[in-house]
Structures are given as structure tokens and as C-alpha cells.
Amino acid sequence: MNIPIALDRSRLDAALAATQRGYDLLIDGNWRKAADGGVLTRASPAHGVTVSTYARAGAVEVEAALAAARRAFDEGPWPQLTGAERSKLLLNVASLIERDAELLATLDVLESGKPIAQARTEIAGAADIWRYAAALARDLHGESYRTLGPSKLGVVVREPIGVVSIITPWNFPFLIVSQKLPFALAAGCTAVVKPSELTSASTLYLGRLLLEVGLPRGVVNILVGEGPDVGAPLTADPRVDMVSFTGSTRVGKAAMAAASASLKKVSMELGGKNPQIVFPDADLDAALDAVVFGAYFNAGECCNAGSRIILHESIAGDFLAAASTRAAAVPVGDPLDPDAKVGAVITPIHLEQIERHVEGARSAGAEVVLGGRRLVSLAGQFMAPTIVSGVKPAMAIAREEIFGPVLLVLTFRTMAEAIAIANDSAYGLSASVWSRDFDTCLTVSRGVRAGTVWVNTFMDGAAELPFGGTKQSGLGRELGRNAVADYTEEKTLHFHTGPRTARWLPIRQSGAA
Ligand code: NDP
């Protein structure tokens, strides 16, 4: 069984000493408290101590932030700056993220419970994304058509779409806002950002960095508050031109419905139930490592979690035994310890839900071969890495997103059956295939409906590669070379030169009325 990494008070004290506790809201270039004096507090899920106190936005702050973002867009100067000017500012932000990387990583650890080593790579990845967006800012361009005839020229320009509402979840606080905001800014948009109120600190700290590099007032506004109070109006208000949302499929649907009243553009990154298909000819050692990583990374609280393992029946027994041995050796515990691989679960309620999912599978006839319960030896909210085998595709645990460190094992006989099981899901975010045979890899990666299919690897990513889901995993793509264009709208300019050739009314004779 997993040997828990005990919480270390001196590490916590050092982290608390390095970070601030109180945060205000960023509205129109100023830090403001809530008009009604409301506050929210956040306790570290690993340590149980209060780590942040936020001003809590309500209707007054939503109104002020939307008005500021609208004004900053309509009156400028941000949308009118050159690509080079916007790019320079984004590059400066990237440098400040790197300067303060340890602080940002610590903020995410204290609020989300994720391991510090992982948080450091997320912050480094985020800085890289800001640089990529800066590069794209200078390459935003449209098209021209000289093929319409000698007296015509068609020019298609890309204009910033306007005010964007950016709504993010708690599981990758700094990384996800960095997958959206720099691209919106590169396009010339202004934004109101609403992080999850469970993990808002690093996004608010980003607000400081934006002011430090001289972002004009009102271009980015950051509100902390609960979904119905702050997120909902940001999806419905007619002053917003686009909603960029990452979160659950349930809330994503509500956000889309609200946005439809004024026909806003929406970009949705939602949930997943991602299959990893392993064939007998695969490099099984590599596949095992990826399967354990894919299931337990970020305590399984990951849209990309490879939670559905689909094994060829000829290797299922041995693979499962080896996966159990590895899973039992995963270091779980104090997320401030650099050796921890799995940290705390986000809230007590969520921990109970994960346990309920596992109990439901047991009652439905599946077998819990590892873990299945919280780690009681650790104070705080820690779930033991869990493996459930004997899962049938129709069971709830095979269909619903668990969002915890729970790996499910299904089996297949033929390639067609493997693809069918993989596709038997409302979700279609990502998948992987493990085989040394090219035909198998190509056929499966073409057959599985997902936004990303990894072939002999898992959860690799790069700013250059588009990311997003099919089916109920989302709408649209983030990252990739179209990431800035996504925050623009095309405008057609149709030029005509010389005398009008296709007259509607005949030319009148001189002197005629
Ligand atoms: P939620 O959907 O609960 O919340 C996401 C964000 O939406 C939060 O900021 C939340 O605020 C806000 N919100 C809540 N209600 C509304 C509303 N009515 N209108 C507008 N916004 C609202 O997701 P979680 O934070 O629980 O995150 C986990 C989910 O995110 C998982 O399903 C996961 O798969 C998905 N996810 C998807 C990713 C992807 O790229 N595909 C990446 C990461 C996560 P509040 O916190 O106050 O409720």
C-alpha cells in the first residue's frame, strides 16, 4: 500500500511566509474591495488552514468590470496597438511569470493541493504559452482576393471580437487562464476573468503582473465569486461578445444556453472519460508507466485523465497486477514535498463523491483491487490511488467523469471492439493507443472520436498543438496556430475601382430628369 508522505509543518510555514493572504478584485486598473464588504476564504485542502481571503464580487463589481472592459475595448487604445506592441507586452508578462514562478507554483499548491513539482512545470508551461501567444500576435493577418475581376479587390481582415468572458475551473488554475487570456489579448480583445473561487490566488497575482508591465486599465478585469453570482452574468450580459469557458459539461451547457440569448461566440473545454487502449504487442513497460501517470496525475482531477484502461484480454491479468504494484508505490501526501506525486483532493465534498463512485461500482459487481477509500493516515483530504476491475461499459463508473485517482479496467478481444468501447461515451476529449504495429496505431487513432489521440505516449502537449474536445467534451480548440484567430471576427472589405461596370439602372441621358 502507498506509504503516505506526512505533512511537514515547517514546509507549510515557509510557504505561508512566502505568499500573501488577502486579495482584492481587479477592476478598471484598480484593486477594489466588494461594495458590500463580502469576503470568501480558502483553506488548503492538504493542510486545513486558511490560505487566502478574497473580496467577494457581487452584482456591483460585475457591472463595474463589464463596463470597464467594454470601455477599454470601444475607446482603446488596446485594440488599436500594433501586433508588435501587444507582443512585447505579452513577452514581458512571460518574463515576470518566470521571475515569480516559485511564488505562483506555491499559490496553486496551497489552494488546489497539487504537488509542488508538478505545479512548477505548469507555471513554466504557462510562461511558454504566453511567449507563443506573443509570437502569434505579430502574425495575425487576413486574406486578399485579386481573382474577382480587374475592377475588384476582396480583402478579409481579422478584427478582435470584443469583450471576452474567461471562466476557469480549479484544477489547473494558472495553466488554464494562460491557455485563454494571452491569445485574447494578442487579438486585441479585452476581458473579464472569473477563476474558480477555490483557486483564485494565482490568477489575481497575474493581475499584478499585468499592471506591472503596463497593461492599459480595464483591458483585464478579475472577479472572484461564485458561479451563479459572477459566472452566470458574465455569460449572459449583452456587452460580452465571446465566452471562453473551461469546466464541467453540466455548467458548460448552462453557460452556452445563457450566451445564446445574445448569440455570443462560445469556446467550451469540458469534461472527459478518456480511454487508453493497450494491445499485446505494445511496449508494456512504457504503457504501464503512462497508465499509472494518466490515472493519478493531479489526483485524477484532470479533464485528460486516462481513467478508462481498455486492455486486450490476453494481457489483462498480468497488466492489471503490474499496474496495481506500481499504483501502490505512488507517493501520496504533502503537496509541498518535492517527492509527492499525488496531493490532496480539492474539497471534502468532492472526496466523498469519489468514494461514492467507487462504492457504486462495487455494488454493481466490479472489483476494487486497490485503494477505494481516503487515506485516513493523513489529515486533510487524500484519496488512495484506486483500481477498479471487472468494469462493464454500461456501469455508471465507466460512463461518468469521476475526477479522482481511480483507474478502471475494461477488456477487449478485437480492434473493432476496442474502438467501439472507446467511443461508447458521451465524451470525446482525448485517448491513447499503445502498440508497436503501425496499422493498429493508425486505424485506432482514426477510429476513436476524440480531440487528441496520443500514440505510444500520454498527456503530451505543446503550445503549437490545438487542444479541445469532440462530442460533449467541448466546442472549439485552444492553443495551436489558430488560437489568436479564434478571438477575432472576419470582416470583408470589397473594393471596386473605376467606373461601375454592373449598373442596376441604365445611365440617364444628359438633361433627363
Ligand atoms: P465547474 O463547471 O463547476 O466550474 C467551472 C467554472 O464555472 C468555475 O469558475 C465556476 O465557478 C463557474 N460557474 C459555475 N456556475 C456557473 C454558471 N452558472 N455560469 C457561468 N459560470 C459558472 O467545473 P470545476 O471547477 O468543478 O472543474 C472541473 C471540471 O472542469 C471537470 O468537469 C473537468 O473535466 C473540466 N475541465 C476541463 C478541461 C478541458 O480543457 N477540457 C480542463 C480542466 C477541467 P465556481 O467555482 O464558483 O462554481
Side-chain angles (χ1 to χ4, degrees):
M1 272 308 291
N2 305 85
I3 300 165
I5 300 177
L7 299 174
D8 179 335
R9 185 70 216 192
S10 63
R11 280 205 174 92
L12 175 62
D13 289 342
L16 292 174
T19 51
Q20 67 177 101
R21 302 278 81 71
Y23 299 88
D24 292 336
L25 309 165
L26 180 59
I27 301 174
D28 206 13
N30 297 305
W31 294 103
R32 284 177 39 173
K33 303 208 177 299
D36 65 1
V39 291
L40 287 163
T41 57
R42 175 64 179 152
S44 162
H47 310 90
V49 301
T50 298
V51 289
S52 315
T53 303
Y54 306 111
R56 174 194 196 136
V60 172
E61 289 74 32
V62 171
E63 172 55 35
L66 282 171
R70 193 70 253 171
R71 196 169 49 244
F73 186 79
D74 293 341
E75 298 175 14
W78 185 250
Q80 289 80 35
L81 295 187
T82 65
E85 287 167 324
R86 285 200 289 266
S87 176
K88 188 173 172 200
L89 189 136
L90 299 179
L91 289 171
N92 289 341
V93 176
S95 298
L96 295 191
I97 291 171
E98 281 168 345
R99 181 194 71 187
D100 296 342
E102 189 60 20
L103 173 60
L104 285 163
T106 306
L107 292 175
D108 275 1
V109 171
L110 288 176
E111 293 193 333
S112 74
K114 69 172 68 227
I116 184 77
Q118 179 195 318
R120 287 177 182 138
T121 63
E122 288 174 23
I123 303 299
D128 181 59
I129 294 173
W130 280 79
R131 290 220 160 83
Y132 180 65
L136 292 183
R138 303 190 66 163
D139 189 43
L140 186 62
H141 60 272
E143 297 165 343
S144 63
Y145 291 86
R146 65 169 294 284
T147 50
L148 310 177
S151 64
K152 287 176 189 283
L153 179 67
V155 176
V156 184
V157 294
R158 287 197 169 274
E159 298 190 333
I161 197 163
V163 174
V164 184
S165 289
I166 292 180
I167 300 175
T168 58
W170 44 259
N171 54 349
F172 295 94
F174 198 78
L175 190 61
I176 290 178
V177 73
S178 297
Q179 289 181 190
K180 300 174 184 294
L181 185 59
F183 300 101
L185 292 177
C189 294
T190 63
V192 181
V193 182
K194 188 209 120 29
S196 164
E197 86 280 0
L198 300 174
T199 56
S200 297
S202 58
T203 302
L204 287 163
Y205 192 85
L206 173 64
R208 281 191 183 194
L209 302 185
L210 294 171
L211 296 187
E212 190 177 336
V213 298
L215 188 77
R217 54 189 277 251
V219 173
V220 173
N221 307 273
I222 305 174
L223 298 178
V224 179
E226 285 172 8
D229 302 336
V230 178
L234 293 183
T235 58
D237 194 286
R239 285 168 291 183
V240 172
D241 300 290
M242 175 173 171
V243 176
S244 178
F245 175 91
T246 298
S248 62
T249 296
R250 180 184 62 80
V251 178
K253 286 178 183 175
M256 229 173 128
S260 73
S262 50
L263 279 181
K264 298 180 204 324
K265 180 172 181 177
V266 293
S267 167
M268 295 277 150
E269 301 292 341
L270 308 175
K273 190 78 183 172
N274 313 294
Q276 293 216 58
I277 307 172
V278 186
F279 286 83
D281 66 339
D283 175 344
L284 294 178
D285 182 60
L288 272 166
D289 187 66
V291 158
V292 172
F293 160 65
Y296 304 130
F297 170 73
N298 213 50
E301 295 166 326
C302 179
C303 54
N304 266 329
S307 55
R308 278 194 301 153
I309 310 307
I310 307 177
L311 300 173
H312 190 269
E313 63 175 13
S314 67
I315 56 165
D318 291 347
F319 195 98
L320 181 57
S324 298
T325 306
R326 291 195 193 198
V330 172
V332 185
D334 189 352
L336 288 165
D337 187 317
D339 290 332
K341 291 283 188 195
V342 172
V345 168
I346 193 76
T347 58
I349 291 174
H350 190 56
L351 182 58
E352 279 165 26
Q353 283 167 350
I354 298 170
E355 286 182 317
R356 265 206 302 278
H357 273 293
V358 176
E359 272 319 301
R362 209 195 297 263
S363 317
E367 187 189 355
V368 180
V369 295
L370 186 76
R373 295 214 161 75
R374 66 189 67 198
L375 276 174
V376 284
S377 53
L378 287 170
Q381 301 138 209
F382 293 88
M383 178 79 188
T386 296
I387 296 182
V388 183
S389 74
V391 174
K392 301 284 175 258
M395 290 180 183
I397 199 164
R399 311 193 78 75
E400 294 165 9
E401 192 180 38
I402 301 172
F403 233 54
V406 181
L407 187 158
L408 315 178
V409 181
L410 300 104
T411 59
F412 70 93
R413 288 200 181 111
T414 65
M415 191 192 305
E417 193 187 356
I419 294 171
I421 294 172
N423 285 339
D424 185 15
S425 170
Y427 297 108
L429 188 59
S430 61
S432 79
V433 51
W434 293 86
S435 167
R436 287 194 173 96
D437 182 71
F438 180 77
D439 286 3
T440 301
C441 291
L442 187 60
T443 306
V444 174
S445 52
R446 281 187 172 167
V448 171
R449 282 190 70 197
T452 298
V453 179
W454 286 288
V455 180
N456 292 321
T457 184
F458 196 72
M459 238 190 282
D460 270 343
E464 291 84 346
L465 300 178
F467 173 70
T470 62
K471 298 195 270 184
Q472 295 189 33
S473 286
L475 198 62
R477 296 290 178 269
E478 294 187 331
L479 303 175
R481 69 189 176 92
N482 296 322
V484 176
D486 204 36
Y487 291 93
T488 65
E489 211 153 28
E490 287 185 326
K491 179 185 274 181
T492 299
L493 307 179
H494 198 140
F495 293 96
H496 184 269
T497 58
R500 183 155 166 74
T501 43
R503 291 195 65 91
W504 190 51
L505 292 176
I507 299 172
R508 293 187 177 136
Q509 300 304 315
S510 65

